Amino acid sequence: MAENGSVLLHPTPSFFVVRHLYGHVLPTEDDNMAASLRLGRQGMLFGLRRNNFNKCLRSTHQWQDQVRHFFQSPWVLGVSPLKVQMPALSPTMEEGNIVKWLKKEGEAVAAGDALCEIETDKAVVTMESNDDGVLAKILMEEGSRNVRLGTLIALMVEEGQDWKQVEIPSSDAAPPSEATPATKAVATSVVTSSAPSPPSAPKPVTSGPLRLSPAARHILDTHGLDPKLATPTGPRGIITKEDALNLLKASPAPKAVPSVVASTPPSPISAPAASPLPPGSRPNIPPLSVPGKPGAPGTFTEVPASNVRRVIAQRLTQSKTTIPHSYASIDCDMAAVMQLRKDLAKEQIKVSVNDFIIKAAAVTLREMPEVNVTWSGDGARALDSVHISIAVATDKGLITPIIKDAANKGVQEISSNAKALAQKARDGKLLPEEYQGGSFSISNLGMFGISGFSAVINPPQACILAVGTSRAELHLCEDDQTLCTKQLMTITLSSDGRLVDDELASRFLDKFRANLEKPQRMALV
């Protein structure tokens, strides 16, 4: 307040207001102009500072986007691969050998295309692709042996991606295909602290309709498995052959794993110096020959067994140690079969004696279904169809392709099927469904001049028929009491005593001889 008490001056941030005791007085024009200039100068400075700050932020964001794009690019992270693993191409397969790659790196692959040829424990099987894409990297080259199931053998990328930038997983993620002796020695020194927990039972898949490939449907139907328990891995939810085989492997109860493992590898023990042997004597154990040097007298060379040979050894041992074999033999007169072959040859129809034997065995099994059985572990399992397994010798071992539904086929059709299957077996091109699931086996060594032999039963089948060569013998004819020549062939039946006893085996051989000695009868029954 002024001394006279009439006027008060109030400073404000924008201008000065002159307030009178008895009313307000408007500010002067000079005061307003000064306040406006002062505010404008502050606003301009604030705007300049904010513009510079936004430019800095914009440049920072652009730099961060570029860095983020670089580190997320395939050049740094790589292209996410589609893994190709060693599949289970047969129920008994545990490992396989890469025979040949049918696709090259960088080549386009469609679902169903052949990727490579794999030697299983039975034959050489072509592995097909389950996905569309490009083969980016081959991890297991041709000739790789003893590749365990589930081992990563190749990588694929999706269509349109750069296959050269595929991301290769670390070596720890893939199980080794074949352990070296040093690795095996280190592995034996590890003691497992706890036994692995048994795998949980697969849960049924209930959502959506089931889609099965033909091979998967055949495997599941043959072994009586529920398709809902399989985990589909194929395109669009298809249950593939590998899925069915994985379910088949998971069905039996897991074997007990020994919990005690040797803590340290056994140290090699130096053999004591052998004392000189007396003249003319031979060592009890022949020494091993040295590779690269000529073998000395009495030495030997270890030959590694192939997968097929190992499986044959396991199944033969299983058959002879777990199946009570019974044997019965009979001689069949082949005169009618020989004459019928000559008549068919005049009409340019070429069939073999073995084709008539297959037909006779199939018709006899249809007449006597109690012989057409297999052993399931708990008892007999009667089979509805007659599938004849024929033994074929190959360079890698014996294999038994199957002539399916042989009882309903003619001799000429059986002949063409047998020739095609035998050639595929020698070439190693048999599919799993072509040598699995037979009900009765036939082994013929007559072409090698073998007069007679006893064959080993092929589990879980109940019987196998061993066929020798035909021979000419003089017999006394009952009609006119004169000597006549007969072409006789010895047939030996090996049967499982748990399923086919001696009386049943004898009746089977008698009916088989009746069908074989009168080929026209086989077309009527």
Side-chain angles (χ1 to χ4, degrees):
M1 178 184 296
E3 294 180 356
N4 55 4
S6 61
V7 179
L8 291 175
L9 297 177
H10 295 277
T12 63
S14 58
F15 53 84
F16 288 93
V17 178
V18 180
R19 178 177 293 178
H20 196 268
L21 290 176
Y22 302 103
H24 293 283
V25 179
L26 295 174
T28 62
E29 293 181 359
D30 294 339
D31 296 333
N32 289 340
M33 185 176 294
S36 299
L37 291 175
R38 188 163 52 253
L39 286 175
R41 180 173 175 272
Q42 293 176 354
M44 291 177 62
L45 292 175
F46 178 76
L48 290 173
R49 293 192 189 99
R50 183 174 182 181
N51 188 27
N52 293 334
F53 180 73
N54 290 339
K55 288 181 179 180
C56 294
L57 286 179
R58 193 177 300 111
S59 62
T60 303
H61 290 167
Q62 293 176 357
W63 177 78
Q64 290 177 349
D65 292 341
Q66 293 176 358
V67 172
R68 186 182 301 110
H69 178 73
F70 173 76
F71 281 101
Q72 291 179 351
S73 64
W75 293 90
V76 178
L77 295 180
V79 179
S80 179
L82 301 174
K83 297 181 180 181
V84 181
Q85 297 176 336
M86 173 64 73
L89 299 176
S90 71
T92 57
M93 177 180 173
E94 296 180 356
E95 57 187 21
N97 304 331
I98 305 295
V99 178
K100 182 180 180 181
W101 281 99
L102 305 178
K103 294 288 185 179
K104 299 180 180 178
E105 293 183 359
E107 192 171 351
V109 179
D113 287 355
L115 277 180
C116 62
E117 293 180 352
I118 298 176
E119 180 187 0
T120 68
D121 55 349
K122 296 289 186 179
V124 177
V125 183
T126 301
M127 175 185 173
E128 298 179 353
S129 173
N130 293 328
D131 303 301
D132 298 331
V134 179
L135 182 60
K137 184 66 176 178
I138 296 176
L139 301 179
M140 291 292 175
E141 299 293 339
E142 295 182 359
S144 300
R145 301 182 61 83
N146 302 331
V147 183
R148 303 290 298 179
L149 296 184
T151 302
L152 201 60
I153 62 175
L155 299 175
M156 292 176 56
V157 297
E158 296 181 355
E159 296 179 355
Q161 293 182 335
D162 188 1
W163 62 272
K164 296 181 180 179
Q165 304 299 327
V166 64
E167 180 183 358
I168 301 179
S170 60
S171 58
D172 298 337
S177 62
E178 184 175 6
T180 60
T183 306
K184 292 180 180 178
V186 174
T188 55
S189 63
V190 179
V191 180
T192 56
S193 60
S194 60
S197 58
S200 58
K203 298 181 180 180
V205 179
T206 56
S207 60
L210 291 176
R211 306 179 63 185
L212 293 84
S213 66
R217 186 182 301 276
H218 172 75
I219 293 173
L220 295 176
D221 292 344
T222 302
H223 297 277
L225 300 176
D226 188 2
K228 295 181 180 180
L229 299 178
T231 303
T233 60
R236 299 177 296 278
I238 296 178
I239 298 177
T240 62
K241 176 174 61 179
E242 288 77 10
D243 302 333
L245 292 174
N246 291 335
L247 178 61
L248 183 60
K249 283 192 66 178
S251 296
K255 298 181 180 179
V257 180
S259 59
V260 179
V261 184
S263 59
T264 56
S267 58
I269 301 175
S270 59
S275 59
L277 298 174
S281 63
R282 298 183 61 184
N284 295 330
I285 301 176
L288 183 66
S289 62
V290 179
K293 295 183 179 181
T299 62
F300 68 94
T301 303
E302 290 186 351
V303 179
S306 63
N307 292 340
V308 177
R309 289 290 182 185
R310 283 199 296 267
V311 172
I312 291 176
Q314 293 173 0
R315 292 182 65 82
L316 287 178
T317 304
Q318 173 192 0
S319 177
K320 293 297 290 184
T321 56
T322 61
I323 297 177
H325 283 57
S326 298
Y327 306 98
S329 300
I330 196 170
D331 289 335
C332 301
D333 188 359
M334 303 299 295
V337 172
M338 297 295 187
Q339 183 62 41
L340 183 56
R341 284 188 65 208
K342 293 180 181 179
D343 297 340
L344 294 176
K346 295 177 182 179
E347 301 178 5
Q348 302 300 320
I349 300 176
K350 296 182 179 180
V351 292
S352 65
V353 175
N354 198 53
D355 301 329
F356 285 96
I357 294 173
I358 295 173
K359 177 64 176 178
V363 171
T364 307
L365 288 173
R366 185 172 59 185
E367 292 180 293
M368 300 181 62
E370 59 270 25
V371 183
N372 190 36
V373 294
T374 59
W375 182 261
S376 62
D378 298 330
R381 178 181 295 175
L383 303 178
D384 298 330
S385 55
V386 178
H387 300 328
I388 303 297
S389 302
I390 55 174
V392 178
T394 66
D395 296 337
K396 298 180 180 180
L398 198 68
I399 193 169
T400 54
I402 299 170
I403 299 179
K404 297 184 177 181
D405 202 15
N408 296 326
K409 293 182 178 180
V411 178
Q412 188 175 6
E413 185 179 1
I414 290 176
S415 177
S416 60
N417 290 350
K419 292 177 181 177
L421 289 172
Q423 187 61 42
K424 291 183 69 175
R426 296 186 183 97
D427 296 339
K429 302 295 184 181
L430 284 176
L431 300 177
E433 56 268 20
E434 292 176 333
Y435 58 81
Q436 295 175 2
S439 58
F440 189 91
S441 294
I442 296 177
S443 179
N444 191 344
L445 296 180
M447 67 284 297
F448 300 106
I450 305 300
S451 58
F453 68 102
S454 300
V456 181
I457 297 174
N458 183 19
Q461 298 176 9
C463 299
I464 183 171
L465 204 65
V467 182
T469 186
S470 61
R471 63 192 184 278
E473 289 188 2
L474 288 175
H475 283 265
L476 183 64
C477 296
E478 298 178 357
D479 298 335
D480 51 3
Q481 298 296 317
T482 59
L483 293 177
C484 59
T485 303
K486 290 185 177 182
Q487 291 288 335
L488 299 181
M489 175 181 289
T490 301
I491 305 294
T492 302
L493 179 68
S494 302
S495 58
D496 187 346
R498 300 170 298 182
L499 299 170
V500 180
D501 55 21
D502 294 339
E503 187 271 338
L504 183 58
S506 301
R507 288 196 291 112
F508 176 85
L509 285 176
D510 185 62
K511 191 173 289 292
F512 171 82
R513 179 175 59 182
N515 289 327
L516 188 61
E517 292 182 349
K518 297 179 180 179
Q520 295 82 359
R521 182 180 183 276
M522 293 188 293
L524 302 177
V525 295

